[in-house]
PDB file of all heavy atoms in Angstrom:
ATOM      1  N   LEU A   1     -49.351   5.788  59.877  1.00 95.00           N
ATOM      2  CA  LEU A   1     -49.261   4.319  59.951  1.00 95.00           C
ATOM      3  C   LEU A   1     -49.029   3.745  58.565  1.00 95.00           C
ATOM      4  O   LEU A   1     -49.673   4.163  57.601  1.00 95.00           O
ATOM      5  CB  LEU A   1     -50.540   3.740  60.528  1.00 95.00           C
ATOM      6  CG  LEU A   1     -50.888   4.129  61.959  1.00 95.00           C
ATOM      7  CD1 LEU A   1     -52.273   3.592  62.332  1.00 95.00           C
ATOM      8  CD2 LEU A   1     -49.833   3.642  62.920  1.00 95.00           C
ATOM      9  N   TYR A   2     -48.123   2.793  58.479  1.00 97.00           N
ATOM     10  CA  TYR A   2     -47.829   2.124  57.218  1.00 97.00           C
ATOM     11  C   TYR A   2     -47.998   0.628  57.391  1.00 97.00           C
ATOM     12  O   TYR A   2     -47.578   0.059  58.394  1.00 97.00           O
ATOM     13  CB  TYR A   2     -46.390   2.405  56.783  1.00 97.00           C
ATOM     14  CG  TYR A   2     -46.210   3.786  56.237  1.00 97.00           C
ATOM     15  CD1 TYR A   2     -45.957   4.843  57.081  1.00 97.00           C
ATOM     16  CD2 TYR A   2     -46.317   4.041  54.876  1.00 97.00           C
ATOM     17  CE1 TYR A   2     -45.803   6.128  56.590  1.00 97.00           C
ATOM     18  CE2 TYR A   2     -46.161   5.323  54.372  1.00 97.00           C
ATOM     19  CZ  TYR A   2     -45.907   6.362  55.248  1.00 97.00           C
ATOM     20  OH  TYR A   2     -45.766   7.622  54.762  1.00 97.00           O
ATOM     21  N   THR A   3     -48.591   0.007  56.385  1.00 97.00           N
ATOM     22  CA  THR A   3     -48.706  -1.448  56.350  1.00 97.00           C
ATOM     23  C   THR A   3     -47.534  -2.003  55.550  1.00 97.00           C
ATOM     24  O   THR A   3     -46.834  -1.258  54.866  1.00 97.00           O
ATOM     25  CB  THR A   3     -50.032  -1.894  55.697  1.00 97.00           C
ATOM     26  OG1 THR A   3     -50.025  -1.449  54.348  1.00 97.00           O
ATOM     27  CG2 THR A   3     -51.236  -1.336  56.442  1.00 97.00           C
ATOM     28  N   LEU A   4     -47.334  -3.298  55.629  1.00 97.00           N
ATOM     29  CA  LEU A   4     -46.253  -3.927  54.893  1.00 97.00           C
ATOM     30  C   LEU A   4     -46.370  -3.722  53.390  1.00 97.00           C
ATOM     31  O   LEU A   4     -45.374  -3.339  52.740  1.00 97.00           O
ATOM     32  CB  LEU A   4     -46.163  -5.402  55.281  1.00 97.00           C
ATOM     33  CG  LEU A   4     -45.083  -6.234  54.638  1.00 97.00           C
ATOM     34  CD1 LEU A   4     -43.705  -5.602  54.742  1.00 97.00           C
ATOM     35  CD2 LEU A   4     -45.067  -7.621  55.272  1.00 97.00           C
ATOM     36  N   PRO A   5     -47.543  -3.906  52.780  1.00 97.00           N
ATOM     37  CA  PRO A   5     -47.621  -3.661  51.338  1.00 97.00           C
ATOM     38  C   PRO A   5     -47.293  -2.200  50.959  1.00 97.00           C
ATOM     39  O   PRO A   5     -46.665  -1.956  49.926  1.00 97.00           O
ATOM     40  CB  PRO A   5     -49.087  -3.990  50.994  1.00 97.00           C
ATOM     41  CG  PRO A   5     -49.496  -4.972  52.053  1.00 97.00           C
ATOM     42  CD  PRO A   5     -48.779  -4.527  53.291  1.00 97.00           C
ATOM     43  N   GLN A   6     -47.702  -1.256  51.781  1.00 97.00           N
ATOM     44  CA  GLN A   6     -47.369   0.140  51.518  1.00 97.00           C
ATOM     45  C   GLN A   6     -45.856   0.368  51.573  1.00 97.00           C
ATOM     46  O   GLN A   6     -45.284   1.056  50.727  1.00 97.00           O
ATOM     47  CB  GLN A   6     -48.051   1.084  52.511  1.00 97.00           C
ATOM     48  CG  GLN A   6     -49.536   1.170  52.348  1.00 97.00           C
ATOM     49  CD  GLN A   6     -50.193   1.930  53.491  1.00 97.00           C
ATOM     50  OE1 GLN A   6     -49.791   1.801  54.654  1.00 97.00           O
ATOM     51  NE2 GLN A   6     -51.201   2.729  53.172  1.00 97.00           N
ATOM     52  N   ALA A   7     -45.216  -0.206  52.584  1.00 97.00           N
ATOM     53  CA  ALA A   7     -43.768  -0.039  52.735  1.00 97.00           C
ATOM     54  C   ALA A   7     -43.011  -0.698  51.580  1.00 97.00           C
ATOM     55  O   ALA A   7     -42.021  -0.137  51.090  1.00 97.00           O
ATOM     56  CB  ALA A   7     -43.313  -0.627  54.067  1.00 97.00           C
ATOM     57  N   LEU A   8     -43.475  -1.855  51.139  1.00 97.00           N
ATOM     58  CA  LEU A   8     -42.839  -2.509  49.996  1.00 97.00           C
ATOM     59  C   LEU A   8     -42.962  -1.672  48.737  1.00 97.00           C
ATOM     60  O   LEU A   8     -42.030  -1.585  47.937  1.00 97.00           O
ATOM     61  CB  LEU A   8     -43.443  -3.896  49.771  1.00 97.00           C
ATOM     62  CG  LEU A   8     -42.990  -4.983  50.716  1.00 97.00           C
ATOM     63  CD1 LEU A   8     -43.819  -6.253  50.525  1.00 97.00           C
ATOM     64  CD2 LEU A   8     -41.507  -5.285  50.528  1.00 97.00           C
ATOM     65  N   ALA A   9     -44.111  -1.039  48.555  1.00 97.00           N
ATOM     66  CA  ALA A   9     -44.315  -0.189  47.365  1.00 97.00           C
ATOM     67  C   ALA A   9     -43.387   1.030  47.367  1.00 97.00           C
ATOM     68  O   ALA A   9     -42.984   1.492  46.297  1.00 97.00           O
ATOM     69  CB  ALA A   9     -45.775   0.258  47.299  1.00 97.00           C
ATOM     70  N   LEU A  10     -43.022   1.509  48.539  1.00 97.00           N
ATOM     71  CA  LEU A  10     -42.156   2.681  48.666  1.00 97.00           C
ATOM     72  C   LEU A  10     -40.670   2.329  48.686  1.00 97.00           C
ATOM     73  O   LEU A  10     -39.824   3.205  48.494  1.00 97.00           O
ATOM     74  CB  LEU A  10     -42.494   3.449  49.935  1.00 97.00           C
ATOM     75  CG  LEU A  10     -43.874   4.078  50.003  1.00 97.00           C
ATOM     76  CD1 LEU A  10     -44.177   4.549  51.425  1.00 97.00           C
ATOM     77  CD2 LEU A  10     -43.979   5.240  49.024  1.00 97.00           C
ATOM     78  N   ALA A  11     -40.359   1.061  48.929  1.00 97.00           N
ATOM     79  CA  ALA A  11     -38.968   0.654  49.093  1.00 97.00           C
ATOM     80  C   ALA A  11     -38.185   0.681  47.794  1.00 97.00           C
ATOM     81  O   ALA A  11     -38.758   0.606  46.698  1.00 97.00           O
ATOM     82  CB  ALA A  11     -38.927  -0.759  49.699  1.00 97.00           C
ATOM     83  N   ASP A  12     -36.881   0.755  47.921  1.00 96.00           N
ATOM     84  CA  ASP A  12     -35.975   0.705  46.785  1.00 96.00           C
ATOM     85  C   ASP A  12     -36.043  -0.706  46.181  1.00 96.00           C
ATOM     86  O   ASP A  12     -35.768  -1.689  46.891  1.00 96.00           O
ATOM     87  CB  ASP A  12     -34.562   1.016  47.269  1.00 96.00           C
ATOM     88  CG  ASP A  12     -33.523   0.965  46.182  1.00 96.00           C
ATOM     89  OD1 ASP A  12     -33.875   0.747  44.989  1.00 96.00           O
ATOM     90  OD2 ASP A  12     -32.327   1.133  46.505  1.00 96.00           O
ATOM     91  N   PRO A  13     -36.398  -0.842  44.905  1.00 97.00           N
ATOM     92  CA  PRO A  13     -36.517  -2.175  44.302  1.00 97.00           C
ATOM     93  C   PRO A  13     -35.249  -3.019  44.391  1.00 97.00           C
ATOM     94  O   PRO A  13     -35.327  -4.232  44.537  1.00 97.00           O
ATOM     95  CB  PRO A  13     -36.873  -1.865  42.841  1.00 97.00           C
ATOM     96  CG  PRO A  13     -37.468  -0.500  42.869  1.00 97.00           C
ATOM     97  CD  PRO A  13     -36.774   0.226  43.976  1.00 97.00           C
ATOM     98  N   SER A  14     -34.093  -2.387  44.312  1.00 97.00           N
ATOM     99  CA  SER A  14     -32.847  -3.163  44.397  1.00 97.00           C
ATOM    100  C   SER A  14     -32.671  -3.758  45.800  1.00 97.00           C
ATOM    101  O   SER A  14     -32.140  -4.867  45.949  1.00 97.00           O
ATOM    102  CB  SER A  14     -31.636  -2.312  44.023  1.00 97.00           C
ATOM    103  OG  SER A  14     -31.465  -1.256  44.932  1.00 97.00           O
ATOM    104  N   GLU A  15     -33.128  -3.052  46.827  1.00 96.00           N
ATOM    105  CA  GLU A  15     -33.046  -3.564  48.190  1.00 96.00           C
ATOM    106  C   GLU A  15     -33.992  -4.757  48.361  1.00 96.00           C
ATOM    107  O   GLU A  15     -33.635  -5.758  48.990  1.00 96.00           O
ATOM    108  CB  GLU A  15     -33.377  -2.488  49.202  1.00 96.00           C
ATOM    109  CG  GLU A  15     -33.172  -2.916  50.622  1.00 96.00           C
ATOM    110  CD  GLU A  15     -33.416  -1.820  51.631  1.00 96.00           C
ATOM    111  OE1 GLU A  15     -33.607  -0.658  51.248  1.00 96.00           O
ATOM    112  OE2 GLU A  15     -33.419  -2.162  52.822  1.00 96.00           O
ATOM    113  N   ILE A  16     -35.180  -4.647  47.806  1.00 97.00           N
ATOM    114  CA  ILE A  16     -36.138  -5.756  47.872  1.00 97.00           C
ATOM    115  C   ILE A  16     -35.571  -6.979  47.132  1.00 97.00           C
ATOM    116  O   ILE A  16     -35.631  -8.102  47.631  1.00 97.00           O
ATOM    117  CB  ILE A  16     -37.506  -5.356  47.280  1.00 97.00           C
ATOM    118  CG1 ILE A  16     -38.111  -4.178  48.062  1.00 97.00           C
ATOM    119  CG2 ILE A  16     -38.464  -6.536  47.260  1.00 97.00           C
ATOM    120  CD1 ILE A  16     -38.339  -4.454  49.530  1.00 97.00           C
ATOM    121  N   ALA A  17     -34.977  -6.757  45.959  1.00 97.00           N
ATOM    122  CA  ALA A  17     -34.407  -7.862  45.199  1.00 97.00           C
ATOM    123  C   ALA A  17     -33.270  -8.522  45.983  1.00 97.00           C
ATOM    124  O   ALA A  17     -33.149  -9.759  45.983  1.00 97.00           O
ATOM    125  CB  ALA A  17     -33.895  -7.354  43.847  1.00 97.00           C
ATOM    126  N   GLU A  18     -32.473  -7.726  46.648  1.00 96.00           N
ATOM    127  CA  GLU A  18     -31.374  -8.273  47.460  1.00 96.00           C
ATOM    128  C   GLU A  18     -31.922  -9.127  48.609  1.00 96.00           C
ATOM    129  O   GLU A  18     -31.409 -10.222  48.887  1.00 96.00           O
ATOM    130  CB  GLU A  18     -30.536  -7.139  48.020  1.00 96.00           C
ATOM    131  CG  GLU A  18     -29.378  -7.595  48.877  1.00 96.00           C
ATOM    132  CD  GLU A  18     -28.608  -6.417  49.436  1.00 96.00           C
ATOM    133  OE1 GLU A  18     -28.525  -5.376  48.780  1.00 96.00           O
ATOM    134  OE2 GLU A  18     -28.110  -6.558  50.563  1.00 96.00           O
ATOM    135  N   ASN A  19     -32.981  -8.647  49.247  1.00 95.00           N
ATOM    136  CA  ASN A  19     -33.599  -9.413  50.353  1.00 95.00           C
ATOM    137  C   ASN A  19     -34.232 -10.690  49.831  1.00 95.00           C
ATOM    138  O   ASN A  19     -34.154 -11.726  50.476  1.00 95.00           O
ATOM    139  CB  ASN A  19     -34.626  -8.554  51.058  1.00 95.00           C
ATOM    140  CG  ASN A  19     -34.012  -7.494  51.913  1.00 95.00           C
ATOM    141  OD1 ASN A  19     -33.687  -7.705  53.075  1.00 95.00           O
ATOM    142  ND2 ASN A  19     -33.767  -6.321  51.339  1.00 95.00           N
ATOM    143  N   ARG A  20     -34.860 -10.625  48.653  1.00 96.00           N
ATOM    144  CA  ARG A  20     -35.476 -11.826  48.048  1.00 96.00           C
ATOM    145  C   ARG A  20     -34.427 -12.877  47.771  1.00 96.00           C
ATOM    146  O   ARG A  20     -34.681 -14.069  47.919  1.00 96.00           O
ATOM    147  CB  ARG A  20     -36.153 -11.447  46.738  1.00 96.00           C
ATOM    148  CG  ARG A  20     -37.562 -11.154  46.864  1.00 96.00           C
ATOM    149  CD  ARG A  20     -38.253 -11.172  45.513  1.00 96.00           C
ATOM    150  NE  ARG A  20     -39.601 -10.752  45.740  1.00 96.00           N
ATOM    151  CZ  ARG A  20     -40.098  -9.597  45.397  1.00 96.00           C
ATOM    152  NH1 ARG A  20     -39.366  -8.725  44.757  1.00 96.00           N
ATOM    153  NH2 ARG A  20     -41.342  -9.289  45.694  1.00 96.00           N
ATOM    154  N   SER A  21     -33.244 -12.441  47.329  1.00 97.00           N
ATOM    155  CA  SER A  21     -32.206 -13.389  46.931  1.00 97.00           C
ATOM    156  C   SER A  21     -31.649 -14.173  48.127  1.00 97.00           C
ATOM    157  O   SER A  21     -31.104 -15.264  47.944  1.00 97.00           O
ATOM    158  CB  SER A  21     -31.070 -12.663  46.212  1.00 97.00           C
ATOM    159  OG  SER A  21     -30.349 -11.847  47.114  1.00 97.00           O
ATOM    160  N   ILE A  22     -31.790 -13.667  49.323  1.00 96.00           N
ATOM    161  CA  ILE A  22     -31.251 -14.344  50.494  1.00 96.00           C
ATOM    162  C   ILE A  22     -31.977 -15.673  50.753  1.00 96.00           C
ATOM    163  O   ILE A  22     -31.346 -16.702  51.000  1.00 96.00           O
ATOM    164  CB  ILE A  22     -31.315 -13.418  51.736  1.00 96.00           C
ATOM    165  CG1 ILE A  22     -30.374 -12.235  51.527  1.00 96.00           C
ATOM    166  CG2 ILE A  22     -30.965 -14.193  53.015  1.00 96.00           C
ATOM    167  CD1 ILE A  22     -30.511 -11.155  52.580  1.00 96.00           C
ATOM    168  N   PHE A  23     -33.294 -15.659  50.686  1.00 95.00           N
ATOM    169  CA  PHE A  23     -34.082 -16.863  50.961  1.00 95.00           C
ATOM    170  C   PHE A  23     -34.819 -17.410  49.732  1.00 95.00           C
ATOM    171  O   PHE A  23     -35.438 -18.445  49.808  1.00 95.00           O
ATOM    172  CB  PHE A  23     -35.122 -16.590  52.057  1.00 95.00           C
ATOM    173  CG  PHE A  23     -34.520 -16.359  53.403  1.00 95.00           C
ATOM    174  CD1 PHE A  23     -34.444 -15.093  53.943  1.00 95.00           C
ATOM    175  CD2 PHE A  23     -33.993 -17.407  54.138  1.00 95.00           C
ATOM    176  CE1 PHE A  23     -33.888 -14.865  55.185  1.00 95.00           C
ATOM    177  CE2 PHE A  23     -33.419 -17.205  55.377  1.00 95.00           C
ATOM    178  CZ  PHE A  23     -33.369 -15.927  55.911  1.00 95.00           C
ATOM    179  N   GLY A  24     -34.748 -16.699  48.634  1.00 95.00           N
ATOM    180  CA  GLY A  24     -35.480 -17.098  47.430  1.00 95.00           C
ATOM    181  C   GLY A  24     -36.821 -16.389  47.361  1.00 95.00           C
ATOM    182  O   GLY A  24     -37.416 -16.046  48.382  1.00 95.00           O
ATOM    183  N   SER A  25     -37.282 -16.171  46.159  1.00 95.00           N
ATOM    184  CA  SER A  25     -38.531 -15.405  45.944  1.00 95.00           C
ATOM    185  C   SER A  25     -39.741 -16.031  46.616  1.00 95.00           C
ATOM    186  O   SER A  25     -40.574 -15.341  47.191  1.00 95.00           O
ATOM    187  CB  SER A  25     -38.805 -15.242  44.448  1.00 95.00           C
ATOM    188  OG  SER A  25     -37.839 -14.419  43.877  1.00 95.00           O
ATOM    189  N   ASP A  26     -39.850 -17.357  46.533  1.00 97.00           N
ATOM    190  CA  ASP A  26     -41.028 -18.021  47.093  1.00 97.00           C
ATOM    191  C   ASP A  26     -41.091 -17.873  48.613  1.00 97.00           C
ATOM    192  O   ASP A  26     -42.141 -17.505  49.163  1.00 97.00           O
ATOM    193  CB  ASP A  26     -41.050 -19.503  46.731  1.00 97.00           C
ATOM    194  CG  ASP A  26     -41.336 -19.729  45.259  1.00 97.00           C
ATOM    195  OD1 ASP A  26     -41.863 -18.800  44.600  1.00 97.00           O
ATOM    196  OD2 ASP A  26     -41.026 -20.829  44.761  1.00 97.00           O
ATOM    197  N   LEU A  27     -39.996 -18.149  49.285  1.00 97.00           N
ATOM    198  CA  LEU A  27     -39.966 -18.068  50.742  1.00 97.00           C
ATOM    199  C   LEU A  27     -40.133 -16.620  51.214  1.00 97.00           C
ATOM    200  O   LEU A  27     -40.843 -16.350  52.173  1.00 97.00           O
ATOM    201  CB  LEU A  27     -38.672 -18.662  51.283  1.00 97.00           C
ATOM    202  CG  LEU A  27     -38.669 -19.068  52.747  1.00 97.00           C
ATOM    203  CD1 LEU A  27     -39.819 -19.999  53.073  1.00 97.00           C
ATOM    204  CD2 LEU A  27     -37.358 -19.746  53.086  1.00 97.00           C
ATOM    205  N   PHE A  28     -39.516 -15.694  50.496  1.00 97.00           N
ATOM    206  CA  PHE A  28     -39.664 -14.278  50.821  1.00 97.00           C
ATOM    207  C   PHE A  28     -41.137 -13.880  50.687  1.00 97.00           C
ATOM    208  O   PHE A  28     -41.690 -13.222  51.583  1.00 97.00           O
ATOM    209  CB  PHE A  28     -38.785 -13.416  49.911  1.00 97.00           C
ATOM    210  CG  PHE A  28     -38.864 -11.957  50.202  1.00 97.00           C
ATOM    211  CD1 PHE A  28     -38.082 -11.393  51.215  1.00 97.00           C
ATOM    212  CD2 PHE A  28     -39.685 -11.127  49.470  1.00 97.00           C
ATOM    213  CE1 PHE A  28     -38.125 -10.028  51.477  1.00 97.00           C
ATOM    214  CE2 PHE A  28     -39.751  -9.759  49.729  1.00 97.00           C
ATOM    215  CZ  PHE A  28     -38.974  -9.224  50.743  1.00 97.00           C
TER     216      PHE A  28
END
């Protein structure tokens, strides 16, 4: 079982940055 914080820690940082850019850091 994985929680969201665990999955974010394992994710590719460039993918997270790309997702953040879609809605902005605050909304993300």
Side-chain angles (χ1 to χ4, degrees):
L1 297 174
Y2 285 85
T3 63
L4 181 50
Q6 290 171 322
L8 284 171
L10 295 169
D12 179 4
S14 64
E15 185 177 353
I16 299 301
E18 181 182 327
N19 287 272
R20 265 196 185 107
S21 69
I22 294 171
F23 292 106
S25 293
D26 290 341
L27 199 53
F28 181 83

